[in-house]
Every structure is written in C-alpha cells, then in structure tokens.
Amino acid sequence: MPRTHIASRTGVFSESVIREMTRLAHLHGAMNLAQGYPDFPAPEFIKQAAIDAINADLNQYAITWGAPRLRRAIAEKTRRFYGLELDPDREITVTCGATEAMMCAMLAVVEPGDEIIVFEPFYENYVPDAAMSGARLVFVTLRGENFAFDPDELRRAFSPRTRAIIVNTPNNPSGKVFTRAELEIIAGLCQEFDTLCITDEIYEHILYDHHEHIPIATLPGMFERTITISGLSKTFSVTGWRLGYLIAPPHLTDALRKVHDFLTVGAPAPLQEAAATAIEQADAYYPELRTMYAEKRAILLAALREAGFRCHQPEGAYYIMADFSDLAFEGDDTAFAHHLIRDIGVAPVPGSSFYRPGSTGGSRMVRFTFSKSEATLREAARRLARL
C-alpha cells in the first residue's frame, strides 16, 4: 500500500470555518459579519507611525523577540493598567500575531499526550494548535445566558496529566468577561495541580458596561505559571499587521523565544515601531474605542432581537452568539448560516464550530461580529429584518 505522505495530525482539524464563511460571503455578495476584522479605517496616528518608520528605513530585521522600544511600551502599559512590573528584556516576546503566540506557547510547554483544558465555546484555533503540539484537549462547557462554568466540572477536568488550561477573556465567541471570583477558582486549581495557565487576552481593551479585565497573571501565585497573550490587531483595527506578544516569567520566556525564533524569526520591523507609538499614545484612545464598539453592539443586538434571535449581551470583545431556535428553520447551524448568506445576504459563523467535535453545543446558534462600520451594520439590520 502506498504511503499517504500526509501527517496524521492534519486529520484532526479542518480549514477555518470562519474564513470559509468569508469566502461564501464574497461569493454571494453578503454582508460579512463572520470574520472579526474591521471594515473601517485604523486610527490615523498608528498608520502615520508606520509610514514614518518605513520612510526612516526601519525595514530590516528587528531583534528576534521584538524591538526594544515596543517591549518597553508593552511593559509600561502593563504596569499602568494592571500594576504588573515586567522586565522587557526577559519577560516580553513580540510575535506575528496572537495566533503565532498561542502556537508558540503550546509548542514550548506541551509534551505529546499532555492534557490541555479548554472552555467551550472556544476560538477555533485551539483545536489545531493542540493537534500540532500533540496535546489532548479536555473541554469544560460554559453554560447558561452568562456562559458560566461549573466549578465542580472544572475540578474534574484537572488531573496529573493536565499541563495547562487556556483562558480566553474577553471571550471569543461568547463575549464573556471572566470575573475575579472565576479567575480565583481557576488560579487555585492551577496551583493545586501544578498546572500552567495560557491566557488569550487579545480583546483586553474592548469592554462594556461595568466589566473589568483582570489578567490572571496578577493574582497571587500566578505570574510564575502564566503565559499571557495579547496584541495590537483588535485594539487598533490592524488585523493584517499580525502583531502580538507573549508575557511570561524568564524560565518560560526562554523556551517561548526559541520556538518563536524558528517559527517566524520576527514580526515586521516598521510595524513594531508603529505599534510602540500607538501604545505610548493610546491611553486617551481606549475609552473612545469602548464607546465606539458599545454603539455598534447596540445596533446589531437590536437588529438580531427584532429579527427573532435570542442573544446574550456581550460583556467584552465584539461578537454576539445568537440563538435561532425561535425562527422557523428546521436545519442545523451550518445550514442556517448558509441560508443567511445565500438568501438573506448576511454572513455569520455556525455556532458548532466553537464546540468540540460531535457536541450538540452551538447547533442552534450562529456568531455575528459587530466590528464593522455603522453603514455595514445598518444594511445588515435591514437584510436581517427579512427573517
């Protein structure tokens, strides 16, 4: 029998469902509320900073783990916002987006056969990341209108084989922001079972109402066992720039940097300089960002509810998980998403793509993003009214 020449790990996951929905949106001329990228301009100050950096000929390799100015800016921002004192030379690594940062973290700390705990619904990259690092995922479901976890279920998920838990807050796709009490439960279990915590905090500055972002690394006993991931893509509406970063204690950073070096060498040099400028100047921008997205959230929430969806009001990030059970549609979430794209002209993401394979979770839900211009959201609302 001839060899397949294809690694078995690639059979565990499929292509991105989110990006598949984007392609279908283009094919059918649908409003793309599937993929979480803005269709409005990035802030002028970050764009001008990139132009200035290119014109200054900062076009060659930066230091592999990040331009010194950018690492200093990240350290200073982290101190101001969270009270965490960081050494930019030993505890911060700049990556090609948060996507590379998560892959870096998994490859740096996971041995084949280790278990990684993941809350579902989860961002779709975590499954292929686990497959490529040889990990086995253990799922804990966020339930109810507030996407809460059962502390007893979470405890049962931990075992001597648990290497790490992934915490994504603010959460994609649910919009949940983990509370201090919830994070303290997670932190206690990490310390009891000598487990790492890998946090995805890419939406840290997109929050609503009274909700507060609390990095779990700031809780007692957690910095030494936490890898924090964030980036510039969502905050500054530059998803195509691919700028992320890792924060970790030196013994973990050493491993992370070795993996990062041979995955991508380094992030784009002129864009790193622009990112440093953005972070240095952004304190007044963050409140404007939240106000802007709160207005967009209100437009899409109202449109979805008027169309007959049941929706959780997101606490952070810029997504809405919408339950279509009350609509007269008999197919599953994938069929419904295709119906919306083809017949209504609005593209969402099937809810099941955010749950473990074989689960019924999300089978009556779709995810929409409101990271779009008001004009796009108003037109999407007009089309959704046809439901």
Side-chain angles (χ1 to χ4, degrees):
M1 179 181 294
R3 292 189 294 177
T4 65
H5 300 292
I6 303 295
S8 60
R9 69 176 69 92
T10 64
V12 178
F13 55 93
S14 63
E15 66 170 334
S16 164
V17 177
I18 296 172
R19 288 180 279 283
E20 178 190 357
M21 295 300 111
T22 291
R23 288 194 295 274
L24 289 174
H26 290 317
L27 179 65
H28 293 282
M31 312 302 291
N32 185 2
L33 303 191
Q35 193 166 1
Y37 64 83
D39 67 350
F40 49 84
E44 286 299 323
F45 66 91
I46 191 171
K47 291 191 292 186
Q48 188 58 52
I51 293 167
D52 293 343
I54 291 169
N55 285 335
D57 284 325
L58 298 173
N59 299 313
Q60 310 310 322
Y61 294 125
I63 293 174
T64 298
W65 48 81
R69 181 185 168 207
L70 176 54
R71 286 184 280 115
R72 287 194 299 270
I74 293 166
E76 178 57 23
K77 187 209 79 165
T78 304
R79 184 194 63 77
R80 289 197 312 275
F81 278 83
Y82 309 122
L84 200 59
E85 298 283 351
L86 298 174
D87 181 346
D89 291 327
R90 302 177 65 227
E91 297 176 332
I92 297 172
T93 305
V94 178
T95 60
C96 293
T99 301
E100 189 225 327
M102 180 61 73
M103 191 72 258
C104 244
M106 298 285 273
L107 290 173
V109 304
V110 174
E111 298 284 4
D114 284 345
E115 292 182 354
I116 305 291
I117 298 172
V118 175
F119 292 103
E120 60 175 358
F122 52 79
Y123 178 52
E124 66 175 4
N125 277 40
Y126 302 158
V127 169
D129 286 347
M132 287 187 278
S133 61
R136 173 179 172 266
L137 291 180
V138 176
F139 297 96
V140 174
T141 305
L142 301 173
R143 294 188 170 87
E145 180 150 340
N146 295 321
F147 291 96
F149 64 83
D150 178 343
D152 293 332
E153 181 184 359
L154 179 60
R155 169 172 278 280
R156 289 193 297 272
F158 278 82
S159 78
R161 297 181 299 278
T162 306
R163 178 58 65 102
I165 181 171
I166 295 175
V167 178
N168 174 204
T169 182
N171 183 262
N172 173 14
S174 71
K176 174 186 175 63
V177 175
F178 283 74
T179 65
R180 182 177 295 275
E182 289 174 320
L183 293 172
E184 286 173 346
I185 291 170
I186 296 167
L189 290 167
C190 285
Q191 293 173 70
E192 179 182 342
F193 286 87
D194 192 18
T195 295
L196 297 174
C197 185
I198 304 172
T199 69
D200 182 346
E201 302 179 17
I202 191 69
Y203 299 97
E204 62 180 304
H205 294 294
I206 303 177
L207 300 160
Y208 311 108
D209 310 319
H210 62 283
H211 296 286
E212 176 190 10
H213 174 65
I214 302 168
I216 200 169
T218 63
L219 298 186
M222 285 305 294
F223 180 75
E224 288 301 308
R225 61 177 66 251
T226 300
I227 298 171
T228 302
I229 295 169
S230 192
L232 282 288
S233 299
K234 312 300 184 178
T235 302
F236 295 100
S237 303
V238 287
T239 61
W241 285 21
R242 312 312 299 133
L243 288 175
Y245 56 85
L246 295 148
I247 296 172
H251 71 283
L252 293 177
T253 292
D254 288 346
L256 293 167
R257 286 180 171 179
K258 284 189 284 188
V259 174
H260 162 68
D261 189 3
F262 291 102
L263 275 179
T264 62
V265 179
L271 301 186
Q272 289 193 52
E273 290 299 316
T277 297
I279 292 173
E280 290 164 359
Q281 299 180 4
D283 282 16
Y285 165 74
Y286 297 133
E288 296 173 8
L289 178 76
R290 292 175 193 156
T291 299
M292 175 188 72
Y293 274 124
E295 293 169 355
K296 295 178 187 299
R297 179 186 67 162
I299 294 170
L300 187 56
L301 266 177
L304 292 171
R305 286 169 173 166
E306 288 168 14
F309 292 92
R310 280 182 274 154
C311 304
H312 164 70
Q313 180 164 297
E315 301 161 353
Y318 48 51
Y319 305 98
I320 298 173
M321 287 288 274
D323 188 323
F324 61 89
S325 297
D326 295 339
L327 296 170
F329 189 85
E330 296 184 1
D332 64 10
D333 57 307
T334 300
F336 183 70
H338 284 243
H339 163 61
L340 283 182
I341 294 170
R342 184 182 60 249
D343 302 322
I344 304 300
V346 178
V349 180
S352 59
S353 65
F354 304 107
Y355 287 81
R356 75 190 82 177
S359 167
T360 58
S363 63
R364 303 298 294 172
M365 303 182 82
V366 288
R367 189 202 75 174
F368 297 90
T369 180
F370 49 92
S371 59
K372 306 297 175 182
S373 68
E374 182 174 337
T376 296
L377 295 173
R378 297 286 184 197
E379 174 59 19
R382 186 188 70 77
R383 297 184 185 191
L384 287 166
R386 290 157 51 190
L387 284 168

